Amino acid sequence: MIWLSWRQFRWQALVAAVALVLVAAYALYLGSDVRDAFAAARSNCGTGTSCPQAMAELKAHYRETMLFLAAALGLALALLGTFWGAPLVARELEAGTHRLVWNQSVTRRRWLATKLLVTALTAMAVTGVASALLTWAARPVDEASANRFDTILFGSRNLAPVGYALFAVTLGTVIGLVVRRTLPAIGVTMAAFIAVQFLVPNLVRPHLMPPETATMAMSADAINRARNLGSITGGSVIGGVTLPDEPDAWISSTSPLLTADGRPLSSARFDACLNSPPRTGVRGTFGDTAVCLGKLDLHLRITYQPGTRYWAFQLLETGFYVLLSALLAAFALWRIRHRLT
């Protein structure tokens, strides 16, 4: 049965092997280029203020490339589910070829378990190698960015993509088993996988471990290090802050700018500093506005996950997808035995 499953799967495996060779070649090229650029940026760190600017330029230069590669890996995982998982059983049921096997000595559950095991293990192996190559190539940029918890980047590094690959194939197989038509199963699998990939980072990942809280004083220098001030809806909000003692922490939420007594800064005072601050000639991202706000003795309440929990989150999220896959596989084995004629 294993030999038959592998023989049916050999063309998909061949395509995956060719794609993996191309990925490896590009990753080696990109990794070498990134490391040369990182070494050049580090050479400026001995000149004082040039170091932060050089690192910022490095991150900006490769940011779009890293996001594109992460999105490409996410798309590849969705394709594994739609073109490896969904047709795995649906194609057999649609063509009626499953009856030939079921009339032999092979049981239904063994037939399904073997096909799913061969496909899922291959998908996990291919994804694991691709993820390792991408993680290696991007490591200098990831270290400079100190943003390993980024929603898109987190799912394209280290262990997490392996769990996604297992889930994608299992999900597609179960949908194909239920729908029993290849094309509808492909469409439903694609939509379902994308929905889960959107929901888990926003609804599940923040609650895998209880967050910590901190208070951060918002001096002019701290405000200048933020990425944005204000919002289209108004209000004294600030975004893209970094904890001084936890530069790689995952900040899940921040309060509005708070005054010394713990109350939100009024919109009138915030807008006054934002729109017409006293001229000081100070340079920086927000310049005079940062100086104006820095004189108001402001602070933030921040909810965050320490950077030291990164690997714990990788393991927990991978385990969550393995658990989902196990539940889906158990349902498939039950259904093929009791509900499918």
Side-chain angles (χ1 to χ4, degrees):
M1 187 61 207
I2 294 177
W3 177 86
L4 176 62
S5 298
W6 178 253
R7 189 171 184 277
Q8 291 178 322
F9 188 68
R10 64 188 185 279
W11 289 112
Q12 293 94 317
L14 179 60
V15 171
V18 172
L20 203 55
V21 170
L22 296 177
V23 169
Y26 179 73
L28 291 173
Y29 161 76
L30 178 64
S32 177
D33 186 59
V34 166
R35 280 157 176 77
D36 289 342
F38 183 72
R42 286 291 300 269
S43 67
N44 291 323
C45 289
T47 61
T49 58
S50 297
C51 185
Q53 181 180 355
M55 289 299 173
E57 291 175 353
L58 174 73
K59 292 184 288 185
H61 180 72
Y62 287 103
R63 177 171 174 76
E64 290 187 2
T65 300
M66 296 306 165
L67 290 176
F68 174 80
L69 292 175
L73 181 58
L75 177 60
L77 292 170
L79 294 178
L80 288 180
T82 54
F83 293 106
W84 285 18
L88 189 66
V89 175
R91 182 175 51 212
E92 302 267 14
L93 298 177
E94 195 172 23
T97 53
H98 62 290
R99 297 188 185 93
L100 177 62
V101 179
W102 291 1
N103 285 325
Q104 308 301 318
S105 60
V106 179
T107 64
R108 298 182 181 193
R109 288 181 175 177
R110 182 185 171 193
W111 175 78
L112 175 61
T114 303
K115 290 174 71 68
L116 180 57
L117 186 65
V118 169
T119 307
L121 288 179
T122 305
M124 293 169 67
V126 170
T127 303
V129 174
S131 174
L133 289 168
L134 179 56
T135 302
W136 171 82
R139 182 172 291 119
V141 178
D142 289 346
E143 291 177 358
S145 301
N147 194 23
R148 295 186 297 173
F149 281 101
D150 180 88
T151 301
I152 298 178
L153 299 183
F154 181 89
S156 63
R157 304 287 193 269
N158 300 302
L159 291 177
V162 179
Y164 302 164
L166 173 62
F167 174 72
V169 171
T170 309
L171 176 67
T173 302
V174 172
I175 291 175
L177 179 63
V178 173
V179 176
R180 304 182 65 171
R181 294 291 183 271
T182 303
L183 290 180
I186 286 175
V188 174
T189 300
M190 176 67 78
F193 182 77
I194 292 175
V196 173
Q197 287 290 85
F198 174 79
L199 292 174
V200 169
N202 293 283
L203 299 181
V204 177
R205 188 183 300 164
H207 304 290
L208 291 175
M209 297 183 72
E212 297 189 5
T213 58
T215 300
M216 179 179 176
M218 297 308 295
S219 63
D221 182 59
I223 293 171
N224 264 329
R225 289 199 299 268
R227 285 198 295 268
N228 54 73
L229 270 175
S231 68
I232 59 175
T233 59
S236 54
V237 297
I238 186 170
V241 296
T242 302
L243 287 170
D245 299 330
E246 290 275 359
D248 59 344
W250 173 24
I251 297 178
S252 53
S253 66
T254 58
S255 69
L257 289 167
L258 304 174
T259 58
D261 58 2
R263 297 180 180 180
L265 179 67
S266 67
S267 297
R269 297 185 70 183
F270 178 75
D271 290 341
C273 284
L274 188 65
N275 299 322
S276 55
R279 300 298 178 186
T280 62
V282 172
R283 303 180 65 182
T285 306
F286 301 107
D288 295 330
T289 295
V291 174
C292 179
L293 292 172
K295 293 178 179 179
L296 301 180
D297 191 19
L298 303 173
H299 66 277
L300 289 176
R301 282 197 297 268
I302 296 174
T303 302
Y304 71 100
Q305 297 286 353
T308 53
R309 295 181 178 178
Y310 173 79
W311 277 105
F313 270 86
Q314 281 275 324
L315 291 170
L316 286 171
E317 186 158 320
T318 302
F320 174 77
Y321 275 96
V322 170
L323 177 60
L324 281 181
S325 301
L327 293 174
L328 288 171
F331 168 77
L333 292 173
W334 170 84
R335 183 177 178 85
I336 201 171
R337 177 66 179 83
H338 296 283
R339 294 292 181 181
L340 198 64
T341 60

